[in-house]
Amino acid sequence: MKASQLEACISYAVKHKLPVLVKGAPGTGKSDIIAQACTAAGAELIISHPVVSDPTDYKGLPFPVKGKEEASFLPFGDLLRLIKADKPTVFFLDDLGQAPASVQASCMQLILARRINGHRVSEQVVFLAATNRRQDRAGVTGILEPVKSRFAAIVELEVDLDDWVEWA
């Protein structure tokens, strides 16, 4: 898919709340195209970088339950924004393929179940992700099959100089 086609695809996915994974070579504009499509769709963009995250970052902060001998995970920061979103919002997992398997697995609950440790993600939120490919030698070890299955589509950004120049 060329850059111009990808922007239309992402705009459609945002409008219809379809989770999409974009793969392609480094430096070809995946993240910028996603950002532009979100702007065009009037959606707020929250960018997460799983490669520098810990698996527990996608669960919330453990906090003791008052009067009980137990704890609950409280969402904070971007996670709280996903729960309270009251307008179209995109949660973009950038460079997902570089993240350790344990972090990728922690994202599955978000993408498919639309839950953060029991807290429901707003219906206003759509999940998008981008990754380089293994052959790009960009530190991608692959994406877990169950994580890939959480996306409605996996599309590849193809480099076409004329189309890219027109897009850029």
Side-chain angles (χ1 to χ4, degrees):
M1 185 173 291
K2 296 177 183 179
S4 59
Q5 296 167 316
L6 180 59
E7 187 168 359
C9 173
I10 296 300
S11 293
Y12 182 88
V14 170
K15 181 179 179 182
H16 297 283
K17 297 182 178 69
L18 298 170
V20 174
L21 171 63
V22 179
K23 64 180 185 171
T28 55
K30 296 179 297 294
S31 300
D32 288 336
I33 291 168
I34 288 171
Q36 283 181 347
C38 291
T39 300
E44 181 177 347
L45 178 61
I46 301 171
I47 302 173
S48 179
H49 295 280
V51 68
V52 293
S53 296
D54 185 76
T56 57
D57 291 349
Y58 296 99
K59 289 185 78 156
L61 181 68
F63 197 80
V65 176
K66 187 175 182 175
K68 297 185 178 182
E69 292 184 10
E70 62 184 59
S72 179
F73 285 88
L74 299 177
F76 64 97
D78 289 343
L79 297 180
L80 190 58
R81 290 172 65 192
L82 296 179
I83 293 167
K84 294 188 173 205
D86 59 359
K87 62 182 179 180
T89 302
V90 170
F91 191 65
F92 176 40
L93 299 156
D94 201 5
D95 293 320
L96 181 60
Q98 292 173 320
S102 58
V103 175
Q104 290 182 30
S106 70
C107 295
M108 286 189 294
Q109 179 183 203
L110 281 174
I111 300 166
L112 183 65
R114 302 184 59 80
R115 295 201 176 272
I116 300 168
N117 212 38
H119 300 277
R120 190 150 191 56
V121 172
S122 167
E123 291 299 321
Q124 296 288 333
V125 175
V126 63
F127 294 95
L128 300 177
T131 186
N132 298 126
R133 304 159 306 181
R134 283 186 196 183
Q135 68 261 33
D136 297 320
R137 296 183 179 186
V140 174
T141 56
I143 295 183
L144 299 171
E145 289 301 319
V147 174
K148 287 193 273 189
S149 74
R150 278 17 184 211
F151 292 98
I154 300 174
V155 296
E156 184 163 354
L157 176 59
E158 299 171 12
V159 178
D160 178 282
L161 183 60
D162 293 332
D163 187 74
W164 190 91
V165 169
E166 185 176 323
W167 163 78

